[in-house]
């Protein structure tokens, strides 16, 4: 069965600091992994996805994620946080077109 | 840029009443999904359509929920009767095809339901 675990339901960083949001997956087949961002009272917007090409994936808004098979991880990073990055972030794994989402990480950016 | 449309954006209803949500996927997308997202949690799949056919409705509470996609384009999700525990965000998403494991799902803005 496929699943994702997001460590840390709340993360706070200072503006300009590194953002690191953790995601570990469990999959019986080579995974397809996604990161989505959700702003209050809005739908989910795709940040980036891993589809077995390059292990370092670059997304929108300066975010990137690295697929590490040995650690079954797909952590999301951004070198310098901006106030507009404050939102909820979801990691998801895909299997046969069905997505399994993590419980989300709420990112707070402190001015 | 094409988007998934949903209406209404917000709905307040009393328990035991009927509610309906509408979704129009991105043109050409064969697969349509309805999710429920309880506050503070990730989305959970309720039902998945491939064209007009239901692919997966195993998590849909069929005693009170129903979904249809009659012409394989837009879709309606209905709850009758609504219960207090149904208060949540209802998200619609679409993608090109079911069999593509790497297919991105594109989400609409959601409908925030409050049951009083």
């Amino acid at each position: 069965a496929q699943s994702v675990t997001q460590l840390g339901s709340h993360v706070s960083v200072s503006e300009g600091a590194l953002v690191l949001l953790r995601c570990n997956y469990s999959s019986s087949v080579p995974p397809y992994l996604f990161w989505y961002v959700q702003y209050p009272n809005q739908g989910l917007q795709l940040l980036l996805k891993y589809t077995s090409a390059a292990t370092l994936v670059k997304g929108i808004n300066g975010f990137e994620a690295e697929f590490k098979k040995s650690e079954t991880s797909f952590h999301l990073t951004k070198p310098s946080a901006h106030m507009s990055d404050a939102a909820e972030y979801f990691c998801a794994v895909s299997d046969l077109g069905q997505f399994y989402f993590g419980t989300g990480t709420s990112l707070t950016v402190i001015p | 840029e094409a988007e998934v449309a949903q209406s209404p954006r917000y709905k307040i209803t009393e328990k035991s009443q009927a509610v309906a949500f509408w979704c129009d996927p991105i043109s050409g997308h064969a697969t349509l999904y309805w999710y429920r997202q309880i506050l503070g949690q990730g989305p959970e799949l309720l039902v998945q359509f491939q064209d007009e056919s239901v692919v997966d409705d195993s998590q849909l509470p069929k005693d009170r929920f129903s979904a249809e996609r009659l012409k394989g384009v837009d879709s309606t999700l209905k709850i009758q009767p609504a219960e207090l525990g149904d208060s949540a965000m209802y998200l619609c998403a679409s993608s090109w095809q079911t069999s593509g494991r790497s297919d991105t799902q594109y989400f609409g803005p959601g409908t925030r339901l409050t049951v009083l």
Side-chain angles (χ1 to χ4, degrees):
Chain A
Q2 278 58 251
S3 66
V4 293
T5 302
Q6 292 185 240
L7 298 176
S9 58
H10 297 276
V11 171
S12 294
V13 299
S14 297
E15 188 175 16
L18 171 71
V19 176
L20 171 60
L21 305 181
R22 301 178 185 274
C23 173
N24 288 86
Y25 68 90
S26 171
S27 176
S28 57
V29 296
Y32 291 85
L33 296 159
F34 301 75
W35 274 101
Y36 283 85
V37 61
Q38 184 177 35
Y39 298 99
N41 288 314
Q42 294 188 28
L44 279 68
Q45 179 184 4
L46 180 70
L47 280 175
L48 51 81
K49 68 178 184 180
Y50 168 75
T51 59
S52 73
T55 56
L56 182 63
V57 182
K58 294 187 182 297
I60 63 171
N61 302 338
F63 284 94
E64 62 182 35
E66 185 173 9
F67 173 72
K68 292 187 177 180
K69 184 178 179 180
S70 61
E71 299 178 7
T72 61
S73 68
F74 189 57
H75 302 331
L76 182 71
T77 60
K78 182 174 180 178
S80 177
H82 192 272
M83 295 299 295
S84 61
D85 295 327
E88 190 86 13
Y89 291 80
F90 292 95
C91 182
V93 63
S94 169
D95 178 39
L96 296 177
Q98 188 168 123
F99 276 32
Y100 299 87
F101 286 90
T103 52
T105 298
S106 177
L107 176 65
T108 299
V109 182
I110 304 167
Chain B
E1 180 176 301
E3 296 180 342
V4 176
Q6 288 188 250
S7 67
R9 290 294 311 278
Y10 303 91
K11 179 69 177 179
I12 300 174
T13 191
E14 294 184 345
K15 64 179 181 180
S16 79
Q17 295 298 303
V19 293
F21 314 131
W22 177 80
C23 172
D24 191 13
I26 293 173
S27 178
H29 280 194
T31 309
L32 185 147
Y33 309 81
W34 282 103
Y35 289 89
R36 177 170 57 188
Q37 185 182 21
I38 297 171
L39 192 64
Q41 298 183 20
E44 294 181 320
L45 182 69
L46 290 174
V47 62
Q48 178 180 339
F49 289 92
Q50 176 72 16
D51 299 310
E52 67 276 8
S53 300
V54 173
V55 174
D56 183 351
D57 64 354
S58 58
Q59 300 303 311
L60 188 71
K62 298 181 186 64
D63 57 335
R64 298 185 300 107
F65 285 65
S66 64
E68 61 183 14
R69 192 184 184 199
L70 293 176
K71 296 182 179 180
V73 181
D74 59 336
S75 175
T76 302
L77 178 69
K78 298 179 181 178
I79 308 175
Q80 182 174 16
E83 296 181 353
L84 295 177
D86 296 332
S87 294
M89 175 78 90
Y90 290 83
L91 295 165
C92 179
S94 69
S95 67
W96 281 107
Q97 58 183 2
T98 302
S99 59
R101 289 180 58 228
S102 64
D103 280 354
T104 298
Q105 291 189 17
Y106 296 89
F107 285 80
T111 296
R112 170 73 66 187
L113 173 65
T114 302
V115 182
L116 303 175

